[in-house]
Amino acid sequence: MKDLIELNKKVREAFPKNVKNPRIWKEKELIDGKIVDSYVIILRTKGCRWAHISGCSMCGYFKETYNAGYDEIKRQIDFAYKKYNGEQVVKFFTSGSFLDKRELPEKLQLYALKKFSKAKKIIIETRPEFVKNLEGMDNELEIAMGLESSNDKVLEHSINKGFRYKPWLKAAKMVKEFGKKLRVYILIKPPFLTEKEGIKDAIESVKKVRNIADTISFNPVAIHGRTIVEQMWKHGLYRPPWLWSVVEILKESKKIYDGIIRCDVVAGGLRRGAHNCGKCDRSFIHAINEFNLKQDTKIFDELDCKCREEWMDWLEIEEYLMG
Ligand code: SF4
Ligand SMILES: [Zn+2]
């Protein structure tokens, strides 16, 4: 465990940081059964506190961070507001925790929320240790909190998450007590797990959070630069999940969970992202994007490709290879 912490620190050392504007884009989002526009803002802040101590094994968001002072962050919020067109959902992210006062001073948290208070819903991300800072925030908020896996062994030895399931659950309950919605991120195929174990782990995690999550958002691992996962991938020790596995997880999750399910496939179809054989990847990504908006697993019935056999063989063979 100590080695993993140290190694993670090492691979991200001395990465140049010279970015200043927030990243902004628009995308579609499903709220109350309707497809609406959402406005995504990624503020450049000093980034996730845990990433400075060690960081999660798959996370490369530290590269987007920038040691911005109070005035610079305020300027970024104003910059984002100028380009805002009244989209109903605003996603206010920071490559860390919006609620961490060291990252985003409390005054700026409130300033940002007030500025975009016309939005029907604001989604912010946080680690569980900062949830208590929700006190006094009266916007219609959805709190997105990465759990990644409900299995403590996976959290500790594979993801290096820096917390266990129980404290996460306590914070999740606190989110609900504050009257806020909860979005739970679950990772698909953490490192050191086989493809089959990855599928099982994601579904087990859904079972654990299904009664508390308003939305479950899956993140299939993508290979970010300067991460442990990248090192493993370069040495042939890790393959991002098959899109077949992603679809399998979405189908199974829909059977056991009634809330909204979504899945953001970063670098989908590329070697660094979830992929299949190359021929069918586009149709899979399209189907997953459709599913995000329609929530109907029938969309997946059309998917077929010869590589299904290869994927199924891999599920079996890999167990032996890794064993
Ligand atoms: S995944 Fe989240 S908690 Fe982990 S290092 Fe990245 S930003 Fe921090
Ligand atoms: Zn294929």
Side-chain angles (χ1 to χ4, degrees):
M1 178 64 195
K2 223 175 162 195
D3 290 348
L4 193 57
I5 291 177
E6 283 308 312
L7 181 62
N8 222 18
K9 241 173 143 178
K10 243 184 172 172
V11 289
R12 42 187 69 187
E13 257 167 19
F15 197 79
K17 294 178 175 123
N18 54 3
V19 283
K20 287 180 184 169
N21 275 334
R23 273 213 297 141
I24 293 170
W25 71 89
K26 292 174 188 187
E27 60 187 26
K28 297 284 177 199
E29 184 75 26
L30 188 68
I31 52 166
D32 305 329
K34 279 191 205 130
I35 299 169
V36 299
D37 290 323
S38 76
Y39 187 65
V40 188
I41 306 158
I42 311 216
L43 291 178
R44 314 286 191 179
T45 65
K46 62 171 71 148
C48 173
R49 207 187 290 196
W50 175 237
H52 286 288
I53 299 168
S54 171
C56 302
S57 56
M58 72 300 178
C59 177
Y61 290 124
F62 66 95
K63 294 196 301 297
E64 302 210 6
T65 61
Y66 158 66
N67 204 358
Y70 185 97
D71 291 338
E72 282 165 290
I73 301 179
K74 187 165 179 283
R75 264 210 305 277
Q76 291 184 49
I77 297 169
D78 293 339
F79 176 90
Y81 186 68
K82 265 194 211 138
K83 296 185 181 289
Y84 176 58
N85 250 330
E87 287 80 6
Q88 291 194 36
V89 177
V90 172
K91 298 182 182 176
F92 233 130
F93 300 156
T94 69
S95 305
S97 294
F98 185 98
L99 295 175
D100 178 0
K101 294 177 189 173
R102 271 204 231 161
E103 199 189 322
L104 195 60
E106 193 176 10
K107 257 190 167 175
L108 284 179
Q109 294 176 15
L110 298 172
Y111 179 75
L113 294 179
K114 199 168 168 211
K115 201 97 189 162
F116 289 86
S117 57
K118 286 210 182 90
K120 212 165 168 193
K121 183 194 267 182
I122 299 180
I123 305 176
I124 58 174
E125 293 175 332
T126 188
R127 279 179 63 90
E129 49 267 43
F130 307 116
V131 162
K132 50 187 177 311
N133 299 346
L134 274 173
E135 185 141 30
M137 292 185 177
D138 40 12
N139 297 63
E140 189 69 38
L141 285 181
E142 182 162 304
I143 312 303
M145 221 169 35
L147 169 63
E148 322 298 4
S149 166
S150 60
N151 181 321
D152 281 341
K153 275 195 193 144
V154 175
L155 284 173
E156 186 174 351
H157 299 292
S158 158
I159 303 175
N160 189 36
K161 195 71 200 173
F163 57 72
R164 288 175 168 238
Y165 174 64
K166 261 199 180 159
W168 179 92
L169 185 62
K170 202 172 156 204
K173 286 181 181 159
M174 208 187 282
V175 167
K176 304 312 286 272
E177 280 157 23
F178 278 121
K180 309 301 182 201
K181 292 262 193 311
L182 177 71
R183 176 175 294 220
V184 181
Y185 293 135
I186 293 177
L187 196 66
I188 297 186
K189 203 182 169 193
F192 309 108
L193 266 65
T194 63
E195 191 82 19
K196 206 173 187 178
E197 287 168 342
I199 296 173
K200 204 169 153 231
D201 185 67
I203 295 168
E204 285 304 311
S205 301
V206 171
K207 286 183 188 158
K208 285 272 194 67
V209 302
R210 65 181 157 191
N211 293 327
I212 193 155
D214 295 289
T215 300
I216 290 180
S217 180
F218 288 105
N219 294 312
V221 166
I223 312 291
H224 290 212
R226 306 226 169 194
T227 59
I228 287 177
V229 173
E230 189 191 46
Q231 300 291 316
M232 292 175 67
W233 175 72
K234 281 186 172 164
H235 289 93
L237 299 171
Y238 182 80
R239 183 208 190 276
W242 285 75
L243 289 163
W244 283 111
S245 305
V246 173
V247 164
E248 182 71 16
I249 290 167
L250 293 175
K251 287 203 287 199
E252 282 308 303
S253 302
K254 197 71 199 164
K255 286 185 202 157
I256 54 177
Y257 173 66
D258 329 321
I260 295 173
I261 298 175
R262 52 173 300 132
C263 178
D264 290 300
V265 188
V266 174
L270 303 177
R271 282 182 60 237
R272 281 185 177 258
H275 63 275
N276 282 350
C277 68
K279 285 188 193 131
C280 61
D281 297 49
R282 249 199 211 186
S283 56
F284 273 71
I285 304 287
H286 179 74
I288 292 167
N289 289 338
E290 282 284 296
F291 171 79
N292 284 341
L293 299 176
K294 297 188 180 144
Q295 299 288 298
D296 185 356
T297 51
K298 281 202 196 91
I299 292 164
F300 301 131
D301 293 350
E302 309 273 295
L303 296 172
D304 198 16
C305 184
K306 279 186 190 152
C307 69
R308 184 179 161 82
E309 290 292 316
E310 199 191 323
W311 167 68
M312 286 176 74
D313 288 346
W314 180 244
L315 290 182
E316 301 310 320
I317 295 165
E318 196 191 17
E319 299 281 295
Y320 292 106
L321 292 179
M322 302 301 273

